[in-house]
Amino acid sequence: MKYKKELLKIKSLDFIASFGIKKNILNSFFYFGGTLLQFLIAIATQPIYSKYLELTDFAVMGYFSAIQALLFPLFNMSLPFYYLAKYWKVKDGETPQQNLSFILNFLNISNGIVAIVSFVLVTLYFKIFEVAIPLMPFLFIVITQLFFEKYKTFYLIESRVQKNGLRFFLINLIQIVLNTGFSLYFVVVLKSGVTGRMTGILLAVISTSLFVLFLLIREKKYVFSLKIDLKKVKLALKYSIPLIIGSYAYFPIGNIDRIFLERLGNTEEYGYYTIGLTISGFIGTFFLALYQSFEPDLYRFISEKKYKQYLSFISIYIIILGILCFSFFMFSELVVSFLTAGRYSHASSYANVFIISVFFMSIGGIFEQLFTAFGKTKLVMWRHILVGVFSVLGYYFMIQKYQFQGANITRVLVSVFSVLIGAIMFLIMIKRRKCESN
């Protein structure tokens, strides 16, 4: 009996070592470190922002976060997925660093074009539909931020792939500290309201991105060039275009509610809605940090056909999500009251429902990772299209009938629908792969 126990213990240790769980957990502390620090700073500063910002200010931030999400796929072009999926598939002697240089140089040019077109189109939209929320300088802030964010994005991917959790943490730490410092200075000292808050975020992104760009050049991971290999562009776009289309199909899922709600003209309730969504997003940052610690291995497991290891990692991930959500429910009212300095406690009613949608959307994201890992990016596109159509219809009718509460509930319905569609499409994909192999 004693021998069996010892054998079981040894096998358990081998299980942990073979799956790389120990190293991932160690790195997850660094990933969580930045998230935890951001969370703690948010707890400390949110009451301050709530004291100096009005509900209309929160409404502006909520609305332009939707605008930013609308423009993001055109700036990002889903190329981080392409870079990550191709990282271990070196062909014709092309290294990951050469691929990184190609992607960043291509994005530098495409981002400049997209920035100009986006500015014109969004300005026209505001004028034609007479949007009550002010346009400038918020549109300029959003576009500039999107242009610079790519450098940090790819540097953090490099850090995760190389299992350098400490470097990942330090880069995030720099941006968190700068963001907090600039924002508090503009909001509290200069009393510049929402303009100051968004400018603080922008300056932090620019400063961190320029620093990271310097590191990429110094480490010889990025070589600047205006010459673009059109053959490589076609290959990259062939992979990413379905993801870009899927991203736009996905846009209604997380953002169309705020576009529809603006038309109601109730800016005050819009502010409560945005605060509830923001606070539920704090828990979402924990989900993202945990996922980022495992994501490179998830791609590797699929590439190496280690499906049992993959399932083990995913199971651990989902269990932790459930624990975090339950913990939030227990203390949400107190948390929201504290974070808003007692001014906007009503937002807790929205936050409790939002956290359910965050849970299911995180699970639904697993199917997106699976589809991209298997190279089935068209499935990502069609899944987003189906869920996007469901979102538009659901939000439109629910907001018309139940307004803000309707939008709140629809977020949960959409998240559950995304999981069901993802599961159905995955099962169909597996069935077809089996038929093709036979």
Side-chain angles (χ1 to χ4, degrees), residues 250-270:
Y250 185 86
F251 173 78
I253 300 171
N255 301 281
I256 199 66
D257 55 336
R258 283 171 282 179
I259 302 297
F260 285 161
L261 288 171
E262 184 273 333
R263 308 311 299 165
L264 296 177
N266 189 344
T267 307
E268 184 173 306
E269 196 66 24
Y270 197 126

Side-chain angles (χ1 to χ4, degrees), residues 43 71 137 147 209 212 291 319 338 365 367 373 385 416 428:
I43 291 176
L71 301 179
F147 181 88
S209 296
V212 163
Y291 174 77
I319 290 171
F338 174 77
F367 294 106
I385 289 173
V416 173
I428 293 173

